Amino acid sequence: MSREVEDLNRRLLRARDAMDRAYAEPLDVRAVASVAHISPAHFSRCFRTVFGETPHRYLQRRRVERSMFLLRETDRSVTEVCFDVGFTSVGTFSRTFRKIVGETPSGYRKGNGPIVVPNCVQMAYTRPRAAAQKTPVATPSSSFG
C-alpha cells in the first residue's frame, strides 16, 4: 500500500470517528469532508470505496444502532428516541429503522428487551442487518465459458 493511500485511509478513519462522536448532531458531507481535508465529492467516493457505504448511509446506520439500544434499555418513547439519535422526523426515523432492521421501532421494542450479556457479544448480536440487501448468487447460466 502506498504512502498516499495510507494517508487517505487515516484521514477517512478520522472523519468516520468524528461522525461516530457526533452522530446525534446535524452533520453534512461538507463538514465531515473537512475533517478528512478533501472535497465533499471526493470524500463521498473514497468513503464508499473504503467502507462499503456512503457517508449518509453510515450515519443513518449508526443512528439506528444507537436507537436500538435506547429502545431496548430505556422506556423513552419512540419520538424521544428519534430526536435523541439525531433524526428530525419521526416518519423518516421509522422508515429508515424498518429498512435497516426489518421491523418498526415499536415492533422492535416489543420483541427485544434488555440484554444481559457481555458488551462485545451484545454488539455483534444487535448489529443491524440490512433486510433489503441481498447478495447475488452465481448460477451456472451466469458463468462465462
Side-chain angles (χ1 to χ4, degrees):
M1 181 181 312
S2 72
R3 191 164 200 71
E4 292 82 23
V5 171
E6 279 186 43
D7 181 54
L8 176 62
N9 287 346
R10 208 176 353 264
R11 289 185 284 143
L12 289 171
L13 283 170
R14 265 188 246 125
R16 190 181 71 175
D17 290 344
M19 291 171 72
D20 287 341
R21 280 190 306 274
Y23 70 89
E25 298 172 18
L27 294 174
D28 62 353
V29 173
R30 182 180 309 267
V32 181
S34 70
V35 172
H37 303 291
I38 54 181
S39 74
H42 189 58
F43 173 74
S44 292
R45 284 190 303 273
C46 292
F47 192 96
R48 184 177 189 142
T49 300
V50 171
F51 298 114
E53 59 189 342
T54 65
H56 182 261
R57 177 72 174 168
Y58 176 80
L59 182 59
Q60 284 185 320
R61 187 174 51 77
R62 292 294 293 139
R63 288 174 172 169
V64 167
E65 286 173 352
R66 180 64 181 156
S67 69
M68 290 169 70
F69 170 81
L70 293 173
L71 290 167
R72 272 193 329 271
E73 305 291 334
T74 69
D75 59 353
R76 292 182 188 156
S77 71
V78 171
T79 303
E80 288 175 312
V81 169
C82 163
F83 295 123
D84 286 348
V85 299
F87 283 93
T88 57
S89 159
V90 177
T92 301
F93 169 65
S94 294
R95 185 176 55 254
T96 303
F97 190 97
R98 184 179 188 126
K99 188 176 189 180
I100 292 173
V101 179
E103 59 185 320
T104 64
S106 54
Y108 177 80
R109 171 175 269 163
K110 288 177 190 170
N112 297 280
I115 297 176
V116 194
V117 295
N119 191 43
C120 59
V121 174
Q122 177 180 343
M123 294 290 287
Y125 179 76
T126 60
R127 184 166 188 95
R129 288 155 180 75
Q133 291 181 352
K134 295 189 178 178
T135 307
V137 178
T139 60
S141 62
S142 67
S143 62
F144 294 99

